[in-house]
Amino acid sequence: MGDAKKPKSGGVWPTVKPFVNGGASGMLATCVIQPIDMIKVRIQLGQGSAAQVTKTMLREEGIGAFYKGLSAGLLRQATYTTARLGSFRILTARAMQANDGKPLPLYQKALCGLTAGAIGACFGSPADLALIRMQADATLPAAQRRHYTNAFHALYRIVGDEGVLALWKGAGPTVVRAMALNMGMLASYDQSVELFRDSLGFGEGATIMGASTVSGFFAAACSLPFDYVKTQIQKMQPDAEGKYPYTGSLDCAMKTLKAGGPFKFYTGFPVYCVRIAPHVMMTWIFLNQIQKYQKSLGL
């Protein structure tokens, strides 16, 4: 056991390992979840129920429509998830050192999750904007469609047409949403692992599945209102006079609350929860498998 831990004592790898593992697990999960995410965005854009959206997409756009924006989704995971999961592990490790190696209380895990979410969102916001626009493009009138071919083309066009700072359009609600999601996802996962493994005596597989399910639910419940506002801000188009429907995230939230009440923010919650929970579960499962494989190699 001493030899197996020796490579972890110094060098660059122990520092970058949580970031590499986090990004890889997120990208693998996204490849599976992309069709559900596409349906969720269409529901939020008011195209009907999950069944209606699915039928319409298959009939009018074909099976490839479910994977539109996959390149942006992978780029988002390579930036956002790499940063947030890596940061969370670094932050919790430092906090545990300050706590004399004892398990962290829930509020400290939540603070680490909030911070990691903000860091990840700052890195991932450009890719997130490209993803939303690519997914929403087919819902726009033909004259307003941007016809992005892939994530890098979208980023190139955004910079060329709107300037570099436009890559962070809607970054405010993106950061807030990421903080809420990661507070729910990361803190509840670590807390659930301790409960299932240490208190209830669950095995490794049951612990990961149970903790991931809890993590997915709290991630969805905490983040959907912010996700709804973020989506509305990022996909808005100016009218004939060049005026946007919302001046910012707070204006969007207030107008949405006035027009549809608080439950409007939870439009598409079943599909959103179905999308978030499996993605969270697969991210943790892939991460666990990656870590086990690395351990077998002595990394």
Side-chain angles (χ1 to χ4, degrees), residues 40 43-44 216-225 263-276:
K40 183 266 297 183
I43 290 173
Q44 287 186 332
F217 175 81
F218 280 102
C222 292
S223 66
L224 181 54
F263 289 108
K264 182 67 175 177
F265 294 105
Y266 283 90
T267 299
F269 179 74
V271 173
Y272 183 75
C273 194
V274 166
R275 179 251 167 183
I276 286 292

Side-chain angles (χ1 to χ4, degrees), residues 47 51-63 65-66:
Q47 291 198 338
Q52 291 172 331
V53 168
T54 302
K55 290 179 181 178
T56 301
M57 290 176 66
L58 284 172
R59 183 177 65 250
E60 298 181 359
E61 303 172 61
I63 192 70
F66 292 96

